[in-house]
C-alpha cells in the first residue's frame, strides 16, 4: 500500500470511517511491529505495537496530513520505543526473569542459516540506537532517506551518515565473528 493511500485512510479514519481505520492498521502493522522489534526486542514488540496504535488513534484528530501517515505513525512508534527503553532502565531487572529462548539459542548448535540470522540480529542489537534506527527504517522497512529523516526528526545527511556507519559497524562485527576458514585437508 502506498503512502498516499495510507494517508487517505488515516484522514478517513479521523472522520470516523472504521473500515479506513482497519485498512490503515493492516497497511502499516507489519512495519510498525518490525521497527519496534528492532528498536526494543521481539518479546515486547506486540505490546508496543498495540501501544503505538492506541497513541496514534488517540491523537488522530491532530493529524493534518502534512507528512505521510506512515512517517507520522513510525515517528509515534519511535517515541513508544524510547518510552519503553526509558521505563526499562528505571525499573530494576528481576533476577528470575530469564529469556529462555535466547538462552537455548546460545547453547544449542545452530544450522548455518539460523546462525547467520542470529549473528545479524545480535550485530543489529549492538549498534548505536540512532544508527540501528536509521538502518532498520531504510534497509529493513524500505523507507526513503527523506521519510526516515522525518520519522527521526533529523536532516537527510544525518540519516545517510547513520546508515553508512551502521553498515560499516555491521560489516566489522560480522567479520570479527566469522569463523576462521578451515584448512583444505586435500590440498
Amino acid at each position: 500500500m502506498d503512502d498516499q493511500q495510507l494517508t487517505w485512510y488515516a484522514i478517513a479514519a479521523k472522520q470516523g470511517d472504521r473500515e479506513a481505520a482497519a485498512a490503515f492498521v493492516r497497511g502499516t502493522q507489519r512495519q510498525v511491529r518490525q521497527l519496534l522489534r528492532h528498536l526494543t526486542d521481539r518479546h515486547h514488540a506486540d505490546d508496543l505495537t498495540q501501544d503505538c496504535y492506541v497513541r496514534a488513534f488517540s491523537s488522530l484528530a491532530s493529524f493534518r496530513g502534512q507528512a505521510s501517515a506512515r512517517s507520522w505513525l513510525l515517528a509515534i512508534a519511535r517515541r513508544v520505543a524510547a518510552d519503553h527503553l526509558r521505563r526499562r532502565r528505571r525499573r530494576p531487572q528481576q533476577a528470575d526473569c530469564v529469556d529462555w529462548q535466547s538462552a537455548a539459542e546460545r547453547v544449542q548448535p545452530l544450522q548455518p542459516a539460523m546462525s547467520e540470522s542470529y549473528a545479524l540480529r545480535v550485530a543489529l542489537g549492538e549498534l548505536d540506537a540512532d544508527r540501528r534506527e536509521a538502518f532498520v527504517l531504510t534497509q529493513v522497512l524500505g523507507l526513503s532517506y527523506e521519510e526516515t529523516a522525518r520519522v527521526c526528526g533529523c536532516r537527510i545527511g544525518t540519516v545517510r551518515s547513520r546508515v553508512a556507519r551502521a553498515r560499516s559497524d555491521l560489516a566489522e562485527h560480522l567479520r570479527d565473528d566469522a569463523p576462521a576458514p578451515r584448512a583444505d585437508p586435500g590440498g
Side-chain angles (χ1 to χ4, degrees), residues 28-187:
T28 56
Q29 188 172 23
R30 184 185 59 77
Q31 287 186 328
V32 168
R33 186 183 184 289
Q34 200 169 14
L35 175 63
L36 289 166
R37 190 177 130 240
H38 285 291
L39 295 181
T40 60
D41 58 66
R42 68 177 179 255
H43 304 293
H44 294 97
D46 289 333
D47 290 339
L48 294 174
T49 298
Q50 288 180 354
D51 187 25
C52 177
Y53 283 104
V54 167
R55 288 188 192 188
F57 280 102
S58 66
S59 63
L60 195 56
S62 66
F63 177 66
R64 295 185 308 257
Q66 291 176 328
S68 75
R70 183 189 323 269
S71 296
W72 173 76
L73 182 63
L74 292 175
I76 292 172
R78 183 175 174 258
R79 287 190 295 277
V80 166
D83 291 348
H84 169 75
L85 293 173
R86 265 193 298 279
R87 280 190 307 269
R88 199 167 77 183
R89 269 187 242 128
R90 284 191 300 234
R91 214 177 8 225
Q93 297 294 319
Q94 297 176 350
D96 62 343
C97 184
V98 177
D99 180 0
W100 293 108
Q101 185 173 357
S102 293
E105 286 175 351
R106 285 192 300 271
V107 297
Q108 290 190 5
L110 299 172
Q111 299 171 357
M114 286 180 64
S115 175
E116 292 167 8
S117 173
Y118 179 74
L120 180 59
R121 197 169 53 226
V122 168
L124 271 171
E126 291 181 4
L127 284 176
D128 171 76
D130 290 335
R131 292 178 186 176
R132 180 176 57 242
E133 179 177 67
F135 184 85
V136 168
L137 286 167
T138 59
Q139 307 304 302
V140 178
L141 299 182
L143 269 64
S144 70
Y145 286 107
E146 184 179 344
E147 291 171 311
T148 300
R150 280 196 301 266
V151 169
C152 296
C154 64
R155 295 176 180 228
I156 292 174
T158 303
V159 171
R160 285 189 179 113
S161 173
R162 288 175 182 173
V163 170
R165 288 183 177 143
R167 284 182 181 147
S168 176
D169 292 349
L170 287 170
E172 183 178 327
H173 187 277
L174 293 173
R175 187 174 37 253
D176 290 346
D177 285 352
R182 294 187 211 171
D184 185 8

